[in-house]
Amino acid sequence: MLIIDCPWCGARPEIEFRYGGEAHIARPADPAAMSDQEWADFLYNRTNPKGLHAERWRHIHGCGRYFNAVRDTVSDFFVTTYKAGEPRPDIGESGK
Amino acid sequence: MAETASMAETAAIGAPRAAYPLDALALGARSIEAARLTALGPAARLAFRGREAAIQAAGEAFGVALPREANRRHTADGRHALWLGPDEWMLLAPGADPAPLFAAIEAATAGLPHALVDVSARSVTIEVAGPKAAYVLNQGNPLDLSIEAFPVGSATRTLFHKAEIVLSRIAPDIFHVDVWRSFAPYVWQMLEDGRRELA
Ligand SMILES: [Zn+2]
């Protein structure tokens, strides 16, 4: 079982968590000013990298908080986790 | 949802309950000293959420300072305050009438942004006690329940098999499992399953 480091609770088993999609996607301030293509990009299009991916997780069966994690999509290795609202840590393109 | 139901049931708390969900199962529980199961009686349970200003006021009104450290339980005069999230606590008073507690906390936090919900009837508490209590719980829960990793005073929301629970360590060999009442028979039976080999 994967162990995920909740920024609030510490190391916890993966079954307590739910995936929440790509992180750091801000809702546009003025959707009416956007083209259909730009709006579709915001709604549906994600980076889907092979390698490090900043993504949202929720400790739903724990403290209930959303937080962010950087995970390597090749190895499923969690490189780091950090609280929602904090910037993406400056790390390289791929983990180990 | 459950909150609405609990408001309606609050008036009846303290009165005998015709269908306490664990009555029949508890009657048939085998005596296994290594991991004893007990269905605990009714308790006042209040879900409190709030920011800085309301947290201290709520704790003073309840009589137990709300823990600020993650996954901790504070206890005073038989009342417990359990940290469930950075802005969320469960206030637990076994055997108490929730109405006056609710009123006292509401009065103390008037005007301060917060949420207080009486969830007394939402869940029931099962006590698992004995030298094999942690062993039995670990049949359905992957947390490290060693005394070093989960000391007395720890409390956390987690899972037991498929059901969400709030797990609290009362003493080295005593755990309390708070579970939503419709899941309680399932959790009880899985606990029975986990301790069967100890009989
Ligand atoms: Zn957490």
Side-chain angles (χ1 to χ4, degrees):
Chain A
M1 188 179 291
L2 275 178
I3 302 294
I4 300 175
D5 238 321
C6 171
W8 297 98
C9 303
R12 305 279 291 223
E14 66 172 301
I15 54 169
E16 292 183 348
F17 296 84
R18 288 291 180 278
Y19 182 63
E22 186 172 353
H24 306 297
I25 296 174
R27 184 183 172 83
D30 185 9
M34 300 174 74
S35 70
D36 288 351
Q37 184 58 50
E38 287 168 333
W39 184 242
D41 279 345
F42 160 68
L43 286 181
Y44 303 117
N45 293 333
R46 298 294 179 260
T47 53
N48 193 29
K50 180 180 181 181
L52 295 191
H53 186 226
E55 53 198 21
R56 306 169 77 214
W57 283 81
R58 187 180 179 201
H59 193 190
I60 186 166
H61 298 301
C63 64
R65 293 296 96 177
Y66 273 100
F67 59 92
N68 294 328
V70 175
R71 183 179 60 94
D72 192 319
T73 60
V74 177
S75 61
D76 213 16
F77 179 77
F78 278 74
V79 179
T80 187
T81 55
Y82 49 104
K83 288 177 182 172
E86 293 176 359
R88 177 183 166 149
D90 188 16
I91 44 183
E93 284 300 305
S94 68
K96 52 180 170 179
Chain B
M1 237 185 69
E3 283 77 2
T4 317
S6 77
M7 294 298 278
E9 288 176 34
T10 299
I13 205 155
R17 285 168 179 276
Y20 204 62
L22 295 173
D23 280 353
L25 289 166
L27 273 177
R30 282 173 302 171
S31 159
I32 299 174
E33 275 307 300
R36 302 179 299 277
L37 291 187
T38 312
L40 301 183
R45 295 177 183 84
L46 304 179
F48 174 80
R49 300 194 64 172
R51 294 192 183 148
E52 208 50 54
I55 292 169
Q56 186 169 356
E60 283 170 8
F62 183 58
V64 185
L66 274 45
R68 308 307 302 273
E69 189 188 343
N71 299 314
R72 298 295 299 169
R73 168 179 54 87
H74 283 175
T75 296
D77 291 333
R79 291 180 181 175
H80 312 283
L82 283 63
W83 186 102
L84 294 184
D87 65 358
E88 180 184 2
W89 288 263
M90 188 206 284
L91 310 179
L92 188 63
D97 179 356
L101 283 175
F102 188 94
I105 297 169
E106 274 297 277
T109 53
L112 303 170
H114 72 284
L116 183 67
V117 183
D118 180 359
V119 293
S120 300
R122 186 174 70 178
S123 55
V124 299
T125 307
I126 301 170
E127 181 175 280
V128 189
K132 288 286 191 185
Y135 174 83
V136 168
L137 287 163
N138 273 147
Q139 313 261 335
N141 179 278
L143 291 179
D144 181 353
L145 296 181
S146 67
I147 196 74
E148 296 79 21
F150 198 80
V152 173
S154 299
T156 183
R157 199 157 31 208
T158 181
L159 289 166
F160 185 70
H161 291 279
K162 301 282 187 184
E164 185 173 283
I165 61 169
V166 174
L167 181 65
S168 189
R169 190 174 218 150
I170 305 299
D173 282 355
I174 302 176
F175 294 84
H176 283 182
V177 176
D178 198 87
V179 56
W180 286 21
R181 54 191 299 136
S182 57
F183 296 147
Y186 165 82
V187 167
W188 181 279
Q189 283 166 317
M190 294 312 282
L191 286 165
E192 280 285 23
D193 199 53
R195 70 192 191 122
R196 186 163 50 187
E197 66 182 273
L198 305 172

